[in-house]
Amino acid sequence: MYPMDLNYTMPAEWAKHARTLISWPVQESMVYPDDYEAVSQGYAEIIKAIAEFEPVTIIVNAGDKTQVESFFDDSKIECLAIEHNDAWLRDNGPTFIVKDDGEIAGVNWGFNAWGGKYSPWDLDDQVAPQILEQFGIKRFDAPFVMEGGSIHVDGEGTLITTEECLLNTNRNPHLNKAQIEDYLHKFLNINKVIWLKHGLSGDETDGHVDNIACFAAPGKIILQVCDDPEDENYAITREILQYLSDETDAKGRKLEIIPIQQAPKASYMGKRLTLSYLNFYFVNEGIVLPIFGGAAEETDRMAEKLLTETFPNRKIRTVNGMAIIREGGNVHCTTQQMAAERGEHRENR
């Protein structure tokens, strides 16, 4: 049986969390291994920020456990030894789903390192099953490759993603659009998929949606936009804005679009950095927002102001978004929320 047959549904990210799961970086797999100390400090800042709002479980390789534990002196932060190749738990961790009575389960997707970009990934593909086993949570194995950063849901039957990623032949060459939609329906119990054509320019994940668009509430989407016609993201985001203006969600509601201005274009070693304010992460009663400083100070302020206005009941906690971005991701990419269990499950927008 599929999760939908048992009335499991993927809750929106703003729903109550039991905890946050996050993987610790592995120096040998980093794009820039010499940055390991700085990246570790960046992860520590993110983890401490999340722990202000909810418990955090850090997935660590056994050999790193003692060192990682030395970064923290907080009873809400614990380490769990599970061997892994790389540190982006949003993409290789389980996706948690919840029944109406609050009972949780986890979906174990196939993982192939973003279309085979980074080898090896054998340990990463086994992380989700081990997490679910450690916490005694029921597991559903999905027969296709998917990363958690490639989807967002509104908790009311609507999922948003990009064709650039989910229809990429480096993930599931044997599946077409209709078949992928069918699997998303069966495993996440969603009723409508909103397909964006592309993600942000230069995003090595092949256009993960968590860098360009996310739900703020049912019927409401925040979209990162670009006003510079010379930037590749100008055409990409204008096309999406036009497309979404004519779209509805699973309930038939016309979508409200909230634009958030992208940070100024930045590169490192000739490669564009995917600077995204939408790579923020919902925590219980708060939001952890990456900001970038320097030339981005004005857009940093604009992003924090917009999120404060959009989520007046949440505390916006900013962290240094430049600390880990050269490795290819940011706050949302590093994290995976475990939905609250049973009677604790509720929404806290």
Side-chain angles (χ1 to χ4, degrees), residues 196-212:
L196 308 182
K197 290 288 186 185
H198 301 285
L200 294 179
S201 174
D203 183 352
E204 66 175 344
T205 65
D206 302 312
H208 272 190
V209 78
D210 69 353
N211 280 320
I212 196 166

Side-chain angles (χ1 to χ4, degrees), residues 40-346:
S40 295
Q41 292 292 342
Y43 270 77
E45 182 186 10
I46 292 169
I47 290 165
K48 290 173 182 176
I50 295 170
E52 293 177 21
F53 302 90
E54 61 191 68
V56 182
T57 298
I58 308 169
I59 306 303
V60 297
N61 286 339
D64 296 332
K65 190 169 183 287
T66 301
Q67 177 198 1
V68 174
E69 288 175 336
S70 70
F71 278 89
F72 308 103
D73 182 20
D74 187 332
S75 61
K76 291 170 67 177
I77 300 171
E78 64 177 14
C79 289
L80 176 61
I82 295 178
E83 297 302 302
H84 57 283
N85 304 109
D86 211 341
W88 307 106
L89 194 63
R90 174 65 50 180
D91 292 340
N92 71 308
T95 294
F96 291 93
I97 50 180
V98 186
K99 278 187 178 180
D100 289 341
D101 65 3
E103 180 182 346
I104 68 170
V107 179
N108 170 40
W109 313 103
F111 180 76
N112 73 349
W114 309 278
K117 291 183 177 66
Y118 296 99
S119 181
W121 62 80
D122 57 318
L123 296 178
D124 285 342
D125 192 37
Q126 293 302 312
V127 165
Q130 292 181 77
I131 288 174
L132 296 173
E133 182 180 1
Q134 288 282 347
F135 285 96
I137 295 172
K138 182 179 178 66
R139 183 178 104 210
F140 292 92
D141 294 323
F144 73 113
V145 170
M146 198 183 77
E147 301 104 39
S150 68
I151 60 170
H152 271 305
V153 299
D154 69 350
E156 294 189 2
T158 313
L159 180 146
I160 189 168
T161 188
T162 69
E163 294 183 3
E164 181 183 357
C165 184
L166 255 63
L167 302 187
N168 199 308
T169 55
N170 63 13
R171 264 71 161 186
N172 299 291
H174 59 296
L175 297 177
N176 61 32
K177 189 176 189 177
Q179 290 170 319
I180 289 174
E181 281 202 16
D182 184 55
Y183 276 136
L184 293 172
H185 175 56
K186 289 175 176 175
F187 282 91
L188 301 178
N189 206 358
I190 54 93
N191 300 312
K192 179 168 184 176
V193 179
I194 295 174
W195 291 94
L196 308 182
K197 290 288 186 185
H198 301 285
L200 294 179
S201 174
D203 183 352
E204 66 175 344
T205 65
D206 302 312
H208 272 190
V209 78
D210 69 353
N211 280 320
I212 196 166
C214 72
F215 288 104
K220 187 181 294 187
I221 290 176
I222 310 177
L223 175 69
Q224 182 156 294
V225 298
C226 170
D227 294 335
D228 179 5
E230 301 300 315
D231 190 317
E232 299 90 337
N233 285 330
Y234 179 83
I236 290 171
T237 58
R238 285 299 182 276
E239 180 183 13
I240 292 174
L241 191 60
Q242 179 61 48
Y243 169 67
L244 291 178
S245 68
D246 298 325
E247 260 291 0
T248 57
D249 65 10
K251 302 289 188 183
R253 291 173 291 218
K254 186 175 176 61
L255 297 171
E256 177 187 348
I257 310 304
I258 303 171
I260 189 169
Q261 185 64 40
Q262 77 168 27
K265 188 174 183 178
S267 300
Y268 182 73
M269 302 290 284
K271 180 180 177 182
R272 181 167 190 168
L273 299 175
T274 308
L275 303 185
S276 173
Y277 295 114
L278 293 190
N279 214 271
F280 72 75
Y281 176 57
F282 285 104
V283 287
N284 293 335
E285 314 301 337
I287 285 174
V288 179
L289 170 68
I291 56 175
F292 307 107
E297 285 185 358
E298 181 179 356
T299 53
D300 286 349
R301 287 192 293 271
M302 292 167 61
E304 186 173 1
K305 181 175 184 290
L306 184 141
L307 292 180
T308 298
E309 293 170 349
T310 305
F311 304 102
N313 297 323
R314 289 179 175 270
K315 178 182 177 182
I316 310 299
R317 173 74 161 80
T318 61
V319 295
N320 177 15
M322 297 303 294
I324 67 173
I325 189 59
R326 290 197 293 268
E327 289 299 311
N330 227 305
V331 179
H332 194 258
C333 302
T334 68
T335 54
Q336 185 60 255
Q337 67 276 4
M338 180 188 289
E341 298 178 5
R342 298 179 170 81
E344 297 178 36
H345 177 64
R346 63 180 177 86

